[in-house]
Amino acid sequence: MKRFLPLLILLAAPASQAERDWTTFEDCTLIEDPANDGDSFHVRYKEREYIVRLYFVDCPETDTRYPDRVKEQGDYFGGLSEKETLRVGKKATEFTEKWLKGGSFTMHTRYEDAQGASSKKRYYVWIEKDDKILAEDLVRNGLARLHGMNTDPPGALTERQFEMRLRTIEKETKTKREGGWAFANTQPGLAAATPNPPVEEKTVKLARPTMARRPEPPNGFLQMLNAGQEITVLGVGTGSFLKVKWTKADGTEVEAVVLRSDLGM
């Protein structure tokens, strides 16, 4: 069941409640901004402006400021060149702009920090309109990979159920060779086999907050690891991921996977 919480109640609520509950904003509109792209953009609700980032998906970049990320995104879509990856990113930006401009939309947020490049706060959000979900439509059109922060969506579905729904949509999109899958250098539905350099088992201290994912496919979100935390890289992994472990305060050992690029490997 969706929750409709007035903004003043949210501001007065303790942080733990704000993180747990969804806050819903109706009749939102897109604010045009040069920084807008396929999965991150500026939104207006009444007189307030928000910078937001979609849950569940990641659209390709539109420039080469983050070359490792661009390569990682291209590999996901079956081995795209840098030029092809950026082209898909621009198509995703155009798609999202058109989707959001086609009338007002509803935004749900838990005020989870999406850590954008701007000095202003950026929040993870769920965007829907006319029974359609923006993240889902981006995947359906081959314009986003399944990657990023996940959560239990508003409504009856669990995080796992929605993630599996996106996997099913993505499989169909690969077969149809939509969006980024149209440029793939491999057969539909098969990831490009990109060799990765071997990594020895070692303990490292995280230089920045890092997302840990479940070790079993589809590698859903597990938890955020803090900058400065020590983890052990186990030296094994698949594709863009490396297997890691760490020990909790109660002595429990946790295993997960993280992106090679997040560890600079």
Side-chain angles (χ1 to χ4, degrees), residues 127-147:
I127 301 282
E128 60 187 18
K129 177 185 67 176
D130 301 329
D131 296 323
K132 294 183 178 180
I133 301 163
L134 177 54
E136 192 172 85
D137 281 353
L138 283 164
V139 174
R140 181 174 286 110
N141 286 273
L143 300 174
R145 60 176 176 157
L146 275 56
H147 177 80

Side-chain angles (χ1 to χ4, degrees), residues 31-38 40-42 49 62-63 65 93:
I31 298 175
E32 292 190 24
D33 191 277
N36 289 351
D37 59 24
S40 181
F41 36 86
H42 293 238
E49 177 179 345
T62 57
D63 57 48
R65 281 179 297 170
T93 301

Side-chain angles (χ1 to χ4, degrees), residues 21-258:
D21 294 339
W22 284 104
T23 300
T24 299
F25 300 106
E26 303 278 2
D27 298 321
C28 296
T29 55
L30 176 70
I31 298 175
E32 292 190 24
D33 191 277
N36 289 351
D37 59 24
D39 57 42
S40 181
F41 36 86
H42 293 238
V43 170
R44 184 177 305 285
Y45 172 70
K46 294 185 177 179
E47 301 302 317
R48 296 199 61 176
E49 177 179 345
Y50 296 88
I51 304 176
V52 301
R53 168 78 164 81
L54 294 176
Y55 280 109
F56 286 97
V57 297
D58 177 59
C59 296
E61 301 297 307
T62 57
D63 57 48
T64 55
R65 281 179 297 170
Y66 308 105
D68 289 346
R69 189 182 303 171
V70 172
K71 181 183 183 305
E72 184 182 288
Q73 292 166 338
D75 287 348
Y76 184 94
F77 281 100
L80 307 189
S81 68
E82 180 182 279
K83 183 178 180 180
E84 290 167 338
T85 303
L86 297 180
R87 191 190 310 178
V88 177
K90 290 173 183 175
K91 284 182 176 291
T93 301
E94 293 168 0
F95 179 90
T96 294
E97 180 179 9
K98 183 177 180 180
W99 198 100
L100 294 173
K101 281 187 172 181
S104 62
F105 52 88
T106 299
M107 178 173 75
H108 307 271
T109 185
R110 280 182 165 144
Y111 288 90
E112 290 187 274
D113 188 0
Q115 300 178 341
S118 170
S119 58
K120 296 181 180 179
K121 203 82 168 179
R122 184 173 72 157
Y123 300 107
Y124 282 107
V125 296
W126 173 280
I127 301 282
E128 60 187 18
K129 177 185 67 176
D130 301 329
D131 296 323
K132 294 183 178 180
I133 301 163
L134 177 54
E136 192 172 85
D137 281 353
L138 283 164
V139 174
R140 181 174 286 110
N141 286 273
L143 300 174
R145 60 176 176 157
L146 275 56
H147 177 80
M149 178 73 82
N150 295 357
T151 189
D152 286 333
L157 289 179
T158 66
E159 171 191 335
R160 182 77 170 180
Q161 287 171 334
F162 185 68
E163 191 171 25
M164 295 311 295
R165 179 162 132 181
L166 290 178
R167 295 274 173 195
T168 300
I169 292 171
E170 183 181 62
K171 186 176 180 181
E172 295 170 354
T173 303
K174 285 181 181 180
T175 302
K176 295 177 182 178
R177 299 184 77 86
E178 299 281 359
W181 303 109
F183 300 104
N185 296 325
T186 58
Q187 299 176 26
L190 298 178
T194 304
N196 287 299
V199 176
E200 295 181 0
E201 181 171 330
K202 58 182 176 180
T203 299
V204 299
K205 183 177 289 187
L206 296 175
R208 59 184 179 182
T210 300
M211 183 184 298
R213 291 175 161 267
R214 300 186 184 100
E216 70 280 355
N219 305 116
F221 173 77
L222 180 62
Q223 72 174 80
M224 290 300 295
L225 303 176
N226 296 323
Q229 181 172 339
E230 288 192 348
I231 63 172
T232 300
V233 180
L234 298 177
V236 293
T238 303
S240 300
F241 291 111
L242 283 173
K243 196 170 184 179
V244 301
K245 68 177 181 179
W246 66 91
T247 303
K248 296 167 63 175
D250 63 3
T252 305
E253 194 171 84
V254 182
E255 288 194 358
V257 292
V258 299

